[in-house]
Amino acid sequence: DGAEYDDTKTGIKLKLKLGAGETVSVTVQEKEVVSQQYSLSDNYFESYLLGLEPAATKVRKDPAFKNVETAHAKWLEAQERVNTLNAESNMLQQEQNRLINLVKTGGKDGDEHLFQWRKDLATGETRIKTIQTKELPAANTAVKEAQKSLNAALEGFVFTWEEK
């Protein structure tokens, strides 16, 4: 009768004053609300969302999901372009270092190998400069734009289901 209670995030907190030898009995009725929320970020999109059966079968038919799927594919493609350019730039830089060592330790002026190495160095330097100053910045911009499109598509995608 003399119990006071405070609401908490997970239920209530009871405050009781008991005298010596008094007992208290509490009956708890627990109600559990089960819900799940999935964050569809670029890295986990396929593995988390599409692994949810039976929801995955239903979600693939949703038009908003098609927009997400298309935007995700474009983001992956843009990211792959950045990765490819970075790999090419790194490979070219390694080749440049090798050619510099060959020129330093290699043939004499007039040697056809020395001429070819210098020509390859110039070609490689031009390609590295193009990648670093034009192609990679453009590819990074494409990734940012694709990420914006993916985020917009994800914001427009709402899907609910019940498990019984």
Side-chain angles (χ1 to χ4, degrees):
D1 268 332
E4 295 178 20
Y5 68 92
D6 291 326
D7 288 321
T8 67
K9 289 181 183 179
T10 58
I12 60 170
K13 177 169 71 172
L14 294 173
K15 296 177 188 177
L16 302 171
K17 291 185 182 181
L18 296 176
E22 292 183 346
T23 62
V24 66
S25 176
V26 178
T27 302
V28 177
Q29 181 180 6
E30 187 174 345
K31 293 183 178 183
E32 183 179 339
V33 176
V34 177
S35 67
Q36 292 178 314
Q37 181 175 339
Y38 295 90
S39 176
L40 303 179
S41 64
D42 41 271
N43 294 332
Y44 302 105
F45 174 72
E46 299 257 350
S47 60
Y48 284 116
L49 178 68
L50 299 183
L52 301 174
E53 289 295 347
T57 303
K58 187 175 173 186
V59 78
R60 285 184 177 97
K61 297 175 184 175
D62 189 312
F65 174 75
K66 298 288 186 193
N67 292 339
V68 171
E69 197 171 37
T70 300
H72 185 249
K74 287 180 182 177
W75 179 84
L76 286 175
E77 185 179 314
Q79 189 61 52
E80 182 58 32
R81 177 70 177 145
V82 168
N83 294 343
T84 300
L85 288 169
N86 280 326
E88 182 182 358
S89 181
N90 290 338
M91 187 261 324
L92 285 168
Q93 191 57 55
Q94 289 174 3
E95 180 63 10
Q96 291 296 87
N97 292 338
R98 187 184 76 79
L99 289 170
I100 287 169
N101 287 334
L102 286 173
V103 167
K104 285 181 183 177
T105 59
K108 300 173 185 163
D109 282 337
D111 181 8
E112 75 178 66
H113 291 293
L114 185 61
F115 175 75
Q116 185 61 47
W117 294 334
R118 287 180 175 161
K119 183 178 172 187
D120 291 347
L121 272 169
T123 302
E125 184 61 27
T126 300
R127 180 68 186 131
I128 289 171
K129 197 174 283 187
T130 300
I131 290 171
Q132 296 297 323
T133 61
K134 294 179 182 170
E135 293 180 25
L136 200 50
N140 282 323
T141 299
V143 168
K144 288 177 186 172
E145 292 302 316
Q147 183 67 55
K148 285 179 188 176
S149 295
L150 178 56
N151 290 344
L154 287 169
E155 287 174 9
F157 176 67
V158 177
F159 185 77
T160 59
W161 73 94
E162 281 185 35
E163 291 187 37
K164 296 180 180 183

